[in-house]
């Protein structure tokens, strides 16, 4: 039985640090391990971030887990600690077709049966697929591995173009930087937008990229730099004026383009549409206002640019599967208790 280092054994995250298990086995990618460690392995409670308890779990704690480049990871808990985890994260591996050790697959199956949230970065989707946990589910992996995932695991519905997705409390992410996006999204889901933003600021990375964005952006190069500068200026303008009823035509005019040309360049630059991007920013702004202030709902809706509380409520329901009032109550409670949100999936 693994020691809990003095932590209580009460189920659920309230009243103790949020427990995250990194699952280690030979061949896991050092980059993914570093991302997981950077997000959940740093103490940022002095900056208002939640308290996390990240453990490196493996079949045994006596044997270092080899990674590429002569690196090795020393586990500090056995796989039995997965029973206590609130979240389990699986790194990708260098050879994604190599069979994953049976004890790891068995532990992941047991965790899923208990209802624990599972998240796989990059080629970690192959590990979940080997465990049979992605059968009949939607999943994503690095764009260069999509055909292999389809070929070796035909029972999986492979989504061809996304940063990260969730199906049945199982999250998968595309390659490299998308792993950062998923990890921050998981923090946002469990602890709120401000907690994710705090960690993102510390990591000097973007706090909010939605999972529906394209994995990579193919665009012609002659005017790429000029367009990027123009569109960055438009996005900055939009963020300063979210409270106004901005339209695609308004943003296009600011960029000096026709609406059709602007929409095409915007999608090529960002991997998403202007309408979707603007809605995502409004939702993020509303989340921060709900977490940070006690402003009445109509004022939150106005400042975030929704126009009315009804409209804001509709978008929260469709995007976050909750209401603004429930969101505020959940994350106010989480902040007061030091725990995580009861609406986290």
């Amino acid at each position: 039985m693994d020691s809990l280092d003095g932590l209580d054994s009460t189920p659920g995250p309230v009243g103790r640090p949020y427990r995250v298990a990194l699952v280690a086995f030979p061949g896991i990618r050092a980059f993914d391990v570093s991302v997981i460690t950077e997000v959940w392995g740093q103490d940022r409670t002095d900056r208002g971030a939640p308290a996390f308890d990240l453990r490196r779990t493996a079949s045994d704690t006596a044997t270092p887990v080899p990674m590429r480049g002569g690196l090795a990871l020393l586990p500090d808990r056995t796989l039995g600690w997965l029973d206590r985890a609130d979240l389990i994260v699986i790194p990708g591996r260098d050879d994604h077709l190599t069979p994953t050790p049976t004890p790891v697959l068995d532990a992941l199956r047991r965790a899923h049966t208990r209802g624990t949230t599972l998240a796989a970065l990059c080629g970690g989707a192959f590990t979940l697929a080997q465990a049979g946990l992605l059968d009949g589910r939607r999943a994503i992996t690095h764009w260069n591995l999509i055909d292999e995932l389809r070929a070796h695991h035909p029972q999986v519905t492979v989504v061809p173009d996304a940063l990260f997705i969730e199906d049945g409390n199982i999250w998968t992410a595309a390659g490299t930087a998308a792993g950062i996006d998923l990890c921050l999204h998981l923090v946002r889901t469990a602890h709120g937008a401000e907690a994710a933003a705090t960690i993102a600021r510390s990591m000097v990375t973007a706090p909010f990229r939605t999972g529906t964005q394209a994995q990579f952006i193919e665009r012609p190069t002659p005017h790429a730099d000029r367009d990027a500068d123009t569109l960055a200026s438009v996005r900055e303008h939009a963020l300063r004026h979210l409270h106004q009823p901005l339209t695609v035509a308004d943003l296009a005019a600011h960029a000096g383009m026709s609406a059709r040309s602007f929409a095409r360049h915007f999608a090529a630059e960002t991997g998403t549409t202007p309408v979707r991007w603007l809605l995502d920013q409004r939702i993020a702004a509303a989340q921060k206002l709900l977490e940070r202030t006690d402003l009445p709902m109509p004022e939150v809706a106005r400042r975030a640019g929704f126009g009315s509380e009804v409209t804001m409520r509709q978008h929260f329901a469709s995007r976050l599967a909750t209401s603004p009032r429930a969101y505020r109550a959940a994350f106010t409670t989480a902040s007061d208790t030091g725990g995580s949100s009861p609406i986290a999936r």
Side-chain angles (χ1 to χ4, degrees), residues 143 161 209 213-220 264-272:
W143 60 267
D161 199 11
R209 286 207 304 169
Q213 289 185 217
Q215 284 198 37
F216 66 97
I217 300 163
E218 292 187 87
R219 63 183 183 189
R264 184 174 66 254
H265 284 284
F266 193 96
E269 174 70 28
T270 65
T272 189

Side-chain angles (χ1 to χ4, degrees), residues 85 159 188 247 279 332:
V159 177
R188 185 182 305 109
T247 66
L279 177 57
T332 298

Side-chain angles (χ1 to χ4, degrees), residues 244-265:
Q244 298 178 359
L246 297 171
T247 66
V248 175
D250 294 332
L251 299 180
H254 189 81
M257 301 179 184
S258 69
R260 179 176 295 182
S261 178
F262 173 76
R264 184 174 66 254
H265 284 284

Side-chain angles (χ1 to χ4, degrees), residues 282-320:
R282 294 193 192 286
I283 290 174
Q287 286 177 297
K288 288 184 179 180
L289 288 169
L290 291 168
E291 292 177 32
R292 293 176 175 180
T293 75
D294 59 359
L295 290 170
M297 291 296 165
E299 180 63 12
V300 172
R302 187 193 70 79
R303 293 194 185 191
F306 286 110
S308 73
E309 181 181 352
V310 172
T311 300
M312 179 173 70
R313 187 165 60 244
Q314 290 170 342
H315 286 302
F316 263 64
S318 63
R319 289 297 185 90
L320 303 179

